[in-house]
């Protein structure tokens, strides 16, 4: 089986607690998924500042893991040089159109900046490609189509098949990324591509008028009980959630209790 | 005045009457209809003997006969609190479209918040009234009137079933062309919940390139007049920006509608959406091994505690039920379950739809851990424990024996199905 050509869009991330710059967690999962799928056929792609040190983290993931495809000699990353405030969509779309990749993986949304998660959708719309959101695993991929497991809430999965070329965003439920090693990170090649005049780096105009502030703590929603007597409202405010109103069945033998439990679970559609 | 009457105090009753949180406060506080006064005169309380007459007025019957039948004053007051103001809107000036996610065919609390935000936008200007249009891909959504929708467009074709982002997007695009709503509100939930909203945002932005209005705001958590606040990437930035056409809002972005009821009048599209080619094929849900799901995401949990003696039987029952396994701190400390399976404040906070606690008395830390569970079943030998009080269904008995009986029944049923399939 020839391994398909896979591009991974990576961005620099930010540690949620310490705030240190590093790899974005979902992007690292996307790199892991691509390496496990295609091995040598993986190329990373980033648009932004060439001096960004956190991109080396992803290159450090290009090392062999037993049981998975070989990743080749060194990692490769194409870097489209661009000021931080400009719009990456047109640059990335041009690059992907000419690169000839059939599958593009990326995280759900970036960890710094606007973080709206719209970029994969903009790229798919501009290129006319398919898009699948929230991928947990890629079961099968050939040159024509891919079979994908999509992550749903509560740990559930849905199987989809999609025709290539396709952009897939990788969910947190995907397998954890392998460690980044120092040697491969040093050896990895970063190819800086200066933008063509024709592509034209568009400055992100509307964003200039937005106001960025440190995140405020969102107010906790209060349980407001309307009406009733003062005593009822006081009780509702002082109670610690739930309680009361349940059905208590005592003096049952185990057989009857089991019947009761199964009937309840069926009526609540927990048990089919 | 007879001096021979001794009026006795009841200090306990007085104490309970003073303590509004006492469990029996209510019955002690009931004003008595007649009592002997301190001077030996019989006193009457007119409030208790009065009743609500047929016209809703309170009547005092002095004949001494007990008045029954009519509703009491209290229940009438409660009903008037429950009554919402009916709002009808004949010719709206503009539209606000809401596309609720409706997981499991019902409005989630996130969807209700979204309708609350839509009402906030529609009723902002008293001079021009806006109508909230709910667009659902499901034919039964009965709570839309209470949630705050004036109009309801139900697109319940078979082609919208399952994961069908392309057909749904084409339908929404047709709505945008024919009615051009001023705002589109869609939920920005975790995982794939926000997929359709982002597709619509990009498609509508393509129709009017370069316009600042067209650039969607994602992860909006507050709307204030013409501005909104979005949570930026990595949760450490807030972005204040003008309110665009497409708004993808987080949960608790606004208060849900509670004062009014709207008509949710069904409407239909004049032009049928052009059917689009399905390029993504949905092969349906995949059976997931419940023991592989992270405990905080598991939809169905069977948890055991100190009251379990037969642990192999417990594991077998969990397997037959298809439930993820959880444990109390005691069971983990005693070495019967791994630490990763501990439920509670010192372990994992779970969000299961159904939680069965076997032999767990319900320490405060454990009850905090299951605060977000929708349905709780307790199996316990002690009818007075806190878990039984918390539970929606409590079965008093020996946990091991009940689980064994459940396992036997489920096994018999599986055998029957297997035989049925073979035959």
């Amino acid at each position: 089986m020839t391994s398909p050509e896979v591009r991974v869009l990576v961005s620099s991330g930010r540690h949620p607690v310490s705030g240190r710059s590093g790899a974005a967690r979902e992007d690292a999962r996307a790199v892991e998924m691509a390496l496990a799928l295609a091995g040598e056929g993986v190329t990373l792609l980033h648009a932004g500042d060439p001096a960004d040190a956190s991109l080396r983290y992803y290159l450090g993931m290009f090392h062999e893991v037993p049981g998975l495809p070989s990743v080749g000699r060194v990692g490769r990353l194409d870097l489209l040089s661009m000021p931080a405030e400009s719009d990456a969509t047109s640059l990335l779309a041009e690059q992907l159109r000419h690169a000839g990749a059939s599958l593009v993986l990326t995280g759900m949304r970036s960890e710094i900046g606007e973080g709206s998660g719209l970029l994969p959708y903009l790229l798919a719309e501009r290129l006319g490609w398919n898009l699948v959101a929230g991928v947990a695993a890629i079961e099968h991929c050939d040159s024509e189509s891919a079979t994908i497991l999509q992550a749903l809430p509560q740990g559930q999965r849905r199987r989809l098949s999609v025709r290539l070329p396709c952009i897939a965003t990788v969910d947190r439920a995907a397998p954890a990324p392998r460690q980044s090693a120092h040697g491969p990170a040093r050896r990895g090649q970063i190819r800086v591509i200066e933008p063509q005049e024709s592509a034209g780096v568009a400055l992100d105009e509307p964003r200039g008028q937005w106001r960025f502030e440190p995140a405020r703590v969102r107010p906790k929603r209060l349980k407001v009980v309307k009406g009733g007597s003062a005593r009822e409202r006081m009780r509702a405010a002082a109670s610690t959630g739930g309680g009361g109103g349940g059905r208590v069945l005592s003096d049952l033998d185990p057989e009857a209790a089991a019947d009761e439990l199964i009937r309840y679970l069926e009526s609540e559609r927990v048990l089919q | 005045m007879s001096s021979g009457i001794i009026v006795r105090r009841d200090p306990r009753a007085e104490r309970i009457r003073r303590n509004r949180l006492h469990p029996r406060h209510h019955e002690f506080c009931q004003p008595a209809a007649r009592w002997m006064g301190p001077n030996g005169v019989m006193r009457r309380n007119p409030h208790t003997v009065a009743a609500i007459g047929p016209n809703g007025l309170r009547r005092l019957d002095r004949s001494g006969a007990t008045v029954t039948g009519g509703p009491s004053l209290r229940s009438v007051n409660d009903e008037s609190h429950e009554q919402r103001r009916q709002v009808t809107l004949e010719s709206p000036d503009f539209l606000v479209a809401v596309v609720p996610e409706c997981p499991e065919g019902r409005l989630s609390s996130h969807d209700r918040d979204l309708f609350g935000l839509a009402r906030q936008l529609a009723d902002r200007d008293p001079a021009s009234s806006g109508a909230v249009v709910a667009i659902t891909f499901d034919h039964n959504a009965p709570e839309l009137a209470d949630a705050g929708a004036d109009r309801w467009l139900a697109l319940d074709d078979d082609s919208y079933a399952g994961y069908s982002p392309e057909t749904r997007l084409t339908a929404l695009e047709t709505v945008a062309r024919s009615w051009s709503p001023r705002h589109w509100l869609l939920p920005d939930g975790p995982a794939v919940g926000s997929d359709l909203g982002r597709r619509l945002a990009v498609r509508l932005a393509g129709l009017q390139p370069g316009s600042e209005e067209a650039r969607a705001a994602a992860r909006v958590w507050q709307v204030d007049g013409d501005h909104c606040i979005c949570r930026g990437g990595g949760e450490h930035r807030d972005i204040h920006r003008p309110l665009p056409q497409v708004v993808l809002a987080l949960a608790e972005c606004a208060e849900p509608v509670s004062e009014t009821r709207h008509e949710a009048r069904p409407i239909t599209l004049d032009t049928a959406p052009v059917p689009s080619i399905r390029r993504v094929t949905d092969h349906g849900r995949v059976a997931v091994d419940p023991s592989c799901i992270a405990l905080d995401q598991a939809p169905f949990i069977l948890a055991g505690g100190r009251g379990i003696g037969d642990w192999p039987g417990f594991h077998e029952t969990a397997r037959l039920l298809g439930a993820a396994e959880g444990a109390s701190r005691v069971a983990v400390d005693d070495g019967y379950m791994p630490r990763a399976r501990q439920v509670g404040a010192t372990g994992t906070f779970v969000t299961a739809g159904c939680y069965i606690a076997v032999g767990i008395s319900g320490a405060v830390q454990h009850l905090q851990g299951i605060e977000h569970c929708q349905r709780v079943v307790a199996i316990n030998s002690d009818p007075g424990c806190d878990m039984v009080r918390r539970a929606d269904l409590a079965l008093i008995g020996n946990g091991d024996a009940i689980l064994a009986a459940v396992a036997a029944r489920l096994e018999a049923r599986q055998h029957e199905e297997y035989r049925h399939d073979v035959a």
Side-chain angles (χ1 to χ4, degrees):
Chain A
M1 180 184 128
T2 57
S3 59
E5 188 81 5
V6 180
R7 299 275 155 149
V8 187
L9 301 183
V10 293
S11 62
S12 50
R14 179 185 177 279
H15 192 274
V17 179
S18 70
R20 279 175 62 163
S21 64
R25 283 160 297 165
E26 286 172 356
D27 289 352
R29 280 171 200 260
V31 173
E32 170 64 40
M33 189 178 282
L35 288 176
L37 183 74
E40 284 184 53
V42 178
T43 311
L44 309 182
L45 183 59
H46 173 75
D49 184 8
D52 195 347
S54 58
L55 298 173
R56 287 271 170 197
Y57 182 95
Y58 302 107
L59 290 171
M61 291 172 68
F62 281 73
H63 57 80
E64 307 292 334
V65 171
L68 292 181
S70 162
V71 298
R73 228 161 49 79
V74 292
R76 294 164 304 280
L77 188 144
D78 291 345
L79 200 151
L80 303 163
S81 175
M82 162 190 111
E85 289 81 27
S86 33
D87 188 0
T89 315
S90 53
L91 277 183
L92 288 171
E94 281 304 308
Q95 182 68 21
L96 289 176
R97 184 171 291 149
H98 294 122
S102 54
L103 182 62
V104 174
L105 296 179
T106 183
M108 297 278 281
R109 72 173 82 86
S110 77
E111 290 187 359
I112 49 177
E114 189 186 350
S116 66
L118 283 169
L119 179 75
Y121 294 87
L122 288 166
L123 288 176
E125 184 79 6
R126 192 170 289 211
L127 295 166
W129 290 11
N130 296 329
L131 186 137
V132 177
V135 174
I138 297 180
E139 291 187 317
H140 172 80
C141 181
D142 55 30
S143 55
E144 291 290 308
S145 66
T147 311
I148 283 172
L149 281 189
Q150 189 181 42
L152 298 177
Q154 298 206 315
Q156 304 301 303
R157 300 280 184 270
R158 178 158 57 193
R159 185 172 286 130
L160 305 172
S161 65
V162 60
R163 301 196 58 78
L164 301 183
C166 164
I167 297 180
T169 61
V170 176
D171 190 80
R172 293 258 162 97
R178 63 188 72 175
Q179 277 199 328
S180 173
H182 184 63
R186 286 285 304 271
R187 285 194 295 276
Q189 291 171 355
I190 296 185
R191 187 162 64 103
V192 179
I193 303 171
E194 291 298 332
Q196 308 273 322
E197 285 302 317
S198 57
V201 182
L203 260 181
D204 197 350
E205 289 281 351
R207 194 177 143 153
Q209 292 153 19
W210 299 352
R211 194 152 47 88
F212 284 77
E213 283 183 359
R216 255 196 288 155
V217 178
R218 291 184 61 183
K220 224 175 174 183
R221 178 175 282 178
L222 294 175
K223 234 182 346 184
V224 179
V225 180
K226 283 184 181 163
S229 67
R231 179 169 175 275
E232 282 163 19
R233 276 179 277 137
M234 178 67 193
R235 277 184 72 94
S239 72
T240 52
R247 209 150 52 96
V248 179
L249 303 175
S250 46
D251 302 329
L252 291 176
D253 60 334
E255 305 292 321
D259 282 336
E260 202 62 50
L261 176 63
I262 290 176
R263 201 174 309 136
Y264 178 76
L265 293 179
E266 277 171 349
S267 70
E268 298 289 340
R269 295 195 194 166
V270 179
L271 210 63
Q272 260 81 43
Chain B
M1 301 289 152
S2 64
S3 56
I5 287 178
I6 303 166
V7 181
R8 292 192 187 280
R9 291 179 61 206
D10 183 355
R12 176 166 168 270
E14 286 173 10
R15 208 167 53 238
I16 293 175
R17 242 174 261 139
R18 278 200 306 273
N19 180 5
R20 290 197 294 174
L21 293 180
H22 193 279
R24 294 183 63 194
H25 171 82
H26 207 60
E27 53 189 270
F28 277 83
C29 232
Q30 285 280 339
R34 334 153 33 104
W35 71 97
M36 186 66 76
N39 299 325
V41 180
M42 185 59 72
R43 313 303 305 238
R44 268 197 197 148
N45 179 7
H47 295 287
T48 51
V49 290
I52 304 295
N55 298 330
L57 295 176
R58 194 164 60 162
R59 316 307 314 213
L60 181 58
D61 185 0
R62 292 183 189 278
S63 68
T66 31
V67 188
T68 50
S72 74
L73 191 64
R74 177 178 298 271
S75 71
V76 166
N77 271 347
D78 284 351
E79 270 169 31
S80 70
H81 281 298
E82 283 298 308
Q83 265 172 12
R84 296 172 172 221
R85 190 161 48 86
Q86 180 75 37
V87 177
T88 50
L89 198 60
E90 284 310 325
S91 52
D93 297 322
F94 63 93
L95 297 178
V96 177
V98 179
V99 189
E101 197 191 348
C102 291
E104 301 163 11
R106 278 178 297 186
L107 289 182
S108 63
S109 66
H110 191 170
D111 292 332
R112 287 176 192 279
D113 298 343
L114 210 61
F115 276 107
L117 181 61
R119 281 256 66 95
Q120 194 183 321
L121 294 175
D123 303 337
R124 192 167 50 185
D125 185 6
S128 65
S129 55
V132 175
V133 187
I135 302 170
T136 62
F137 298 99
D138 202 345
H139 55 278
N140 53 352
E143 309 127 315
L144 284 172
D146 281 347
D150 294 309
R151 305 284 188 270
W152 174 27
L153 174 64
L155 300 163
D156 49 353
D157 205 332
D158 278 345
S159 59
Y160 301 115
Y163 183 69
S164 50
E166 292 108 346
T167 40
R168 291 184 180 201
L169 179 61
T170 325
L172 295 186
E173 211 183 337
T174 317
V175 173
R177 278 183 208 283
S178 41
W179 297 337
S180 52
R182 186 178 288 182
H183 291 292
W184 284 91
L185 302 186
L186 293 101
D188 195 347
V192 290
S194 53
D195 185 40
L196 185 64
R198 297 206 152 79
R199 284 176 198 266
L200 180 73
V202 168
R203 184 61 58 86
L204 293 185
L207 297 180
Q208 35 181 331
S211 151
E212 193 188 329
E213 262 276 279
R215 180 144 164 191
R219 297 165 63 67
V220 173
W221 61 271
Q222 200 171 59
V223 174
D224 185 17
D226 290 335
H227 279 71
C228 62
I229 308 179
C230 316
R231 189 50 50 104
E235 308 284 327
H236 71 294
R237 287 274 179 192
D238 274 341
I239 306 171
H240 296 248
R241 51 171 292 187
L243 189 69
Q245 189 190 9
V246 181
V247 176
L248 311 177
L250 293 174
E252 299 194 4
C253 53
E255 289 294 325
V257 174
S258 61
E259 309 257 299
T260 51
R261 174 173 293 127
H262 300 260
E263 46 183 341
R265 187 190 302 169
I267 49 172
T268 48
L269 270 175
D270 299 333
T271 51
V274 186
S276 67
I277 310 158
R278 291 185 75 154
R279 298 186 295 181
V280 179
T281 320
D282 187 355
H283 297 290
R285 295 283 182 102
V286 181
V288 184
D289 180 7
S291 62
C292 293
I293 304 175
L295 196 58
D296 58 339
Q297 292 191 352
F300 180 26
I301 296 176
L302 178 70
R306 200 203 287 271
I308 297 271
D310 174 22
W311 283 96
F314 172 81
H315 297 310
E316 176 67 10
T317 314
R319 187 185 66 78
L320 287 166
L321 281 170
E325 291 181 8
S328 70
R329 187 192 55 77
V330 181
V332 173
D333 281 356
D334 291 350
Y336 293 115
M337 292 284 274
R339 183 64 70 188
R341 291 277 148 193
Q342 181 183 330
V343 174
T346 42
T348 313
F349 286 78
V350 296
T351 55
C354 183
Y355 184 85
I356 306 180
V358 188
I360 299 177
S361 60
V364 173
Q365 290 85 351
H366 195 87
L367 292 181
Q368 282 172 355
I370 62 169
E371 206 169 30
H372 295 292
C373 291
Q374 287 165 17
R375 294 172 285 260
V376 175
V377 180
I379 300 177
N380 211 305
S381 51
D382 174 16
C385 68
D386 286 338
M387 185 58 88
V388 168
R389 231 170 285 155
R390 162 74 173 85
D392 301 297
L393 172 68
L395 303 168
I396 309 302
N398 180 6
D400 286 337
I402 295 177
L403 286 190
V406 169
R409 272 169 178 58
L410 292 175
E411 205 153 19
R413 188 190 293 189
Q414 281 185 3
H415 270 291
E416 210 166 279
E417 278 172 19
Y418 175 71
R419 237 179 272 150
H420 185 76
D421 288 348
V422 170

